[in-house]
Amino acid sequence: MTALRDRAIVSLQSAPSLPRHVRIQYDPMRQAFALLSPEKVFWPNEISLDILRRCDGRSTVERIIADLAADYDTDPQEVAADVIAFLQEWSDKLLVKL
């Protein structure tokens, strides 16, 4: 019988990071950044890459939202739901640690 892990839930106080087995790497052939994990390659879009690069284990989700809103000159409330949903999805795939 396999043990199920508890699902981590994103909160504004979460400080997401990339697990040791995940890294961002530039692919010169495709001229794009890839997120590499064992036996899997993901091709995040520009905004997803902006979120992933901020997952340093020190910045909270609240800080990431505020920084993205400032960079894209928009209201934090407009990006909050998308950032939280993105981080939750990638956490569920074990590509982001919360």
Side-chain angles (χ1 to χ4, degrees), residues 56-89:
D56 58 12
R58 296 181 309 273
S59 300
T60 64
V61 171
E62 186 171 40
R63 173 87 268 148
I64 292 170
I65 290 168
D67 290 347
L68 287 167
D71 287 355
Y72 288 93
D73 194 26
T74 189
D75 184 334
Q77 295 300 323
E78 291 184 27
V79 298
D82 290 336
V83 170
I84 291 169
F86 172 84
L87 290 172
Q88 187 64 63
E89 178 183 342

Side-chain angles (χ1 to χ4, degrees), residues 4-54:
L4 296 175
R5 76 174 180 93
D6 288 331
R7 181 180 189 219
I9 303 296
V10 177
S11 76
L12 292 177
Q13 288 72 43
S14 300
S17 64
L18 298 182
R20 295 178 70 184
H21 68 276
V22 174
R23 74 179 191 277
I24 298 170
Q25 182 172 311
Y26 184 72
D27 180 340
M29 292 295 290
R30 293 190 183 198
Q31 296 185 346
F33 284 92
L35 189 79
L36 306 176
S37 83
E39 301 181 22
K40 294 180 187 172
V41 177
F42 299 88
W43 299 96
N45 64 29
E46 184 180 327
I47 294 172
S48 298
L49 197 54
D50 279 350
I51 296 169
L52 292 169
R53 284 185 172 140
R54 296 168 199 273

